[in-house]
Amino acid sequence: MQKEILVVGTLGFDTVTNCRGRVDMVLGGSASYASVAASYFARTHLISIVGTDFSNGHFAPFKKRGVDTQGVKVEEGKTFFWAAEYDKDFKNAYTKVTDLNVFANFKPRILSSHKKCKYAFLGNIDPEIQLSLIKQMDGAKLITCDTMNYWINSNKKAVKKVIKNTDILFVNESEARMLTGEYNLIKAGKDILKLGAKHVIIKLGPNGAMFISPLGMAQLPPFLVENIYDTTGAGDTFGGAFTGYLASLPKWNTLYAIKNAMAVGGVMASFGIESFSINKLLELSQTKINSRLNKYKNGLRF
Amino acid sequence: MQKEILVVGTLGFDTVTNCRGRVDMVLGGSASYASVAASYFARTHLISIVGTDFSNGHFAPFKKRGVDTQGVKVEEGKTFFWAAEYDKDFKNAYTKVTDLNVFANFKPRILSSHKKCKYAFLGNIDPEIQLSLIKQMDGAKLITCDTMNYWINSNKKAVKKVIKNTDILFVNESEARMLTGEYNLIKAGKDILKLGAKHVIIKLGPNGAMFISPLGMAQLPPFLVENIYDTTGAGDTFGGAFTGYLASLPKWNTLYAIKNAMAVGGVMASFGIESFSINKLLELSQTKINSRLNKYKNGLRF
């Protein structure tokens, strides 16, 4: 029986300029990347909010991937908008515009049709909203949460509450250091466990990801991609695929399962960055995914 | 029959201050780390120069590891000295003093007893000296070379000549970028191949290492070490062990062999950073090395 997963986050329009060129008002937001990535591993239900400028055409990619969008509220107004410019070769992204628009009113409710979801990926949104969702998901088997520097700075108290109430926390290197004051990532990860996290994933960007938990530690390299088009959403793709893959297993909480999920997340992210927006993620197949996954895993056997 | 390897580089005294404390005038230099690391895999011959303050006691660790020090010239004067301070958790090393002392007169000659060495690791020294050594090693099967930003800035022409005449070049991330102007490390690595390198290893510090060559590409994570005492010499340890291990094989130039050598280099470096100076490297055994190596390799099978 296919497992059901809830993905919560932003749906938005992105304008991105980088060394590959520029795209205007393309589909973006953490939930776009995460839900499409998750959809290859579990039946995916999306919770988000969009404006009336979000057309049927914008919903089409999700429909194509069988993502249930009943939980996407359409509200009078404009959809979340983000504009950014990357420097040469994606070293840094400089945000030019963030217009929350209708997302400012996001008060997600879990629908009765979502009650069968025992797995969830909560993208990087206000930690208070993440907490309200965690409360609504009583009986969940796995809730993973992403966060970001903005929330750590503005509402660390709520972030700490999220940390205590989530199963797996995703942070990147600088967030791990910001949360703990530790430069060494193993120490930072262990300090996040002391804050009450059950398991921590530290995303290392071009260097893969690290897992720290009572189950053990692991650092895995990335799948090497030469022709990067856009790294936007790579972390969300990782998080969505990682969580969707774990949802598909009979038992997610073993180091073996987690390492496989990290491999799946990394491989899906490697596809994601080979195009702007979610274009490449939409045209995948189990065959393509398994082929790259095998290539990745075989590359680590020697 | 055990293979013979030549290790060339500095022997010196280090004064290091870091979050673990301070050590004064301890054994250091690229050739200390590299030769002791290599000695676990091949019969190691050392070429360097020291002052008359380098006592029998300083030679003892090399003797203990069976390293042939006939090629270490003792010259009237003082031994190479380096003092550095690391910031919290080894993010950066700040050099306080570099006294070349007798090393300023280093004009290494390969002795007749070295002629049987078909493998060499040339530590980070003047590229002109590396070139003279490469010339003297006619008929070598494998020469690996380390370099550093100082030489890339001051004598890029000679560094480029070394690149063309070495089998495997070691650089770190910033050196790869400095050499090529590319931020993306795959592109930088490929550009180094275009400069005439046969194979390139990019050392990623706490994120492991990357290999780029016509044989293929690979990125491997580090062996995770929690209790770091001193990262001085980690790259030299990696390079010495990597080259020594390759020397021990019937055929070194396959992707499979290189990945195993990267694992060996990473594992030896992981031991090296668990103490100041070469202390931990001196007390290893095949059993200890193989045990950690198996742990590392098994950790990548899932």
Side-chain angles (χ1 to χ4, degrees), chain A residues 88-89 91 181-184 186-187 190 204 206-207 210 217-222 224-226 228 256 259-260 263 297 299-302, chain B residues 88-89 91 181-184 186-187 190 204 206-207 210 217-222 224-226 228 256 259-260 263 297 299-302:
Chain A
K88 208 173 171 274
D89 275 313
K91 192 179 177 185
E182 284 286 354
Y183 177 77
N184 179 299
I186 299 177
K187 288 186 194 167
K190 295 211 158 178
L204 305 172
N207 288 313
M210 188 187 274
M217 293 195 293
Q219 182 172 341
L220 291 183
L224 291 175
V225 164
E226 265 191 88
I228 302 176
Y256 182 84
K259 284 201 269 190
N260 274 285
K297 288 167 77 169
L300 296 177
R301 287 165 192 270
F302 50 84
Chain B
K88 209 174 168 273
D89 274 314
K91 191 179 178 187
E182 285 286 353
Y183 178 77
N184 178 298
I186 300 178
K187 287 185 195 168
K190 295 211 161 181
L204 305 172
N207 288 312
M210 188 187 277
M217 293 195 292
Q219 184 173 340
L220 292 183
L224 291 175
V225 165
E226 267 191 89
I228 301 177
Y256 180 85
K259 284 200 271 191
N260 274 287
K297 288 168 77 169
L300 297 176
R301 287 164 192 269
F302 51 84

Side-chain angles (χ1 to χ4, degrees), chain B residues 73-145:
Chain B
K73 193 173 172 190
V74 182
E75 194 169 282
E76 194 62 46
K78 281 173 129 185
T79 299
F80 178 88
F81 172 70
W82 182 70
E85 207 170 311
Y86 287 82
D87 56 7
K88 209 174 168 273
D89 274 314
F90 309 100
K91 191 179 178 187
N92 299 292
Y94 300 96
T95 292
K96 300 289 174 189
V97 185
T98 305
D99 285 338
L100 289 181
N101 296 330
V102 296
F103 202 79
N105 313 320
F106 188 45
K107 286 195 188 58
R109 275 182 322 107
I110 290 184
L111 308 178
S112 57
S113 60
H114 297 149
K115 292 288 179 193
K116 58 196 173 232
C117 295
K118 298 296 172 202
Y119 301 84
F121 170 74
L122 308 184
N124 154 45
I125 47 175
D126 186 332
E128 306 278 9
I129 297 181
Q130 289 177 326
L131 285 168
S132 96
L133 286 161
I134 293 170
K135 259 190 205 156
Q136 293 175 65
M137 282 196 70
D138 198 35
K141 290 188 178 165
L142 169 65
I143 298 178
T144 67
C145 276

Side-chain angles (χ1 to χ4, degrees), chain A residues 38-225:
Chain A
S39 72
Y40 287 95
F41 308 97
R43 166 103 173 109
T44 305
H45 303 265
L46 186 49
I47 293 188
S48 191
I49 186 169
V50 293
T52 38
D53 53 353
F54 203 89
S55 67
N56 282 340
H58 295 118
F59 277 109
F62 303 103
K63 296 254 178 326
K64 188 191 163 203
R65 285 300 316 143
V67 173
D68 163 33
T69 56
Q70 263 192 75
V72 179
K73 194 173 173 192
V74 182
E75 193 168 282
E76 196 63 46
K78 281 173 130 185
T79 299
F80 179 88
F81 173 71
W82 182 70
E85 208 170 311
Y86 287 83
D87 56 7
K88 208 173 171 274
D89 275 313
F90 309 100
K91 192 179 177 185
N92 299 292
Y94 300 95
T95 292
K96 300 290 173 186
V97 186
T98 305
D99 285 338
L100 288 181
N101 295 329
V102 297
F103 202 80
N105 313 319
F106 188 45
K107 286 195 186 58
R109 276 182 321 109
I110 288 182
L111 307 178
S112 56
S113 60
H114 296 151
K115 292 287 179 195
K116 59 195 173 232
C117 295
K118 298 294 170 205
Y119 302 84
F121 169 74
L122 309 183
N124 152 45
I125 47 175
D126 186 334
E128 306 278 9
I129 298 181
Q130 290 178 325
L131 285 168
S132 97
L133 286 160
I134 292 169
K135 259 191 204 155
Q136 293 175 63
M137 283 196 68
D138 198 34
K141 290 189 177 160
L142 169 64
I143 298 179
T144 66
C145 275
D146 195 15
T147 189
M148 77 181 286
N149 47 8
Y150 176 79
W151 305 114
I152 298 171
N153 280 326
S154 62
N155 196 349
K156 198 168 181 177
K157 207 177 137 190
V159 170
K160 284 193 174 175
K161 236 175 163 176
V162 168
I163 288 174
K164 279 199 182 104
N165 289 284
T166 192
D167 294 298
I168 304 179
L169 180 77
F170 296 103
V171 286
N172 65 26
E173 293 174 70
S174 65
E175 290 153 8
R177 289 173 180 140
M178 192 184 291
L179 265 171
T180 62
E182 284 286 354
Y183 177 77
N184 179 299
L185 292 177
I186 299 177
K187 288 186 194 167
K190 295 211 158 178
D191 277 4
I192 296 174
L193 297 183
K194 280 182 205 150
L195 291 176
K198 295 180 193 77
H199 314 275
V200 181
I201 290 275
I202 303 177
K203 296 176 288 181
L204 305 172
N207 288 313
M210 188 187 274
F211 175 68
I212 293 171
S213 126
L215 295 177
M217 293 195 293
Q219 182 172 341
L220 291 183
F223 180 87
L224 291 175
V225 164

Side-chain angles (χ1 to χ4, degrees), chain B residues 199-235:
Chain B
H199 315 275
V200 181
I201 290 276
I202 303 176
K203 296 175 288 181
L204 305 172
N207 288 312
M210 188 187 277
F211 175 68
I212 294 172
S213 126
L215 297 175
M217 293 195 292
Q219 184 173 340
L220 292 183
F223 180 88
L224 291 175
V225 165
E226 267 191 89
N227 292 311
I228 301 177
Y229 272 81
D230 185 12
T231 56
T232 304

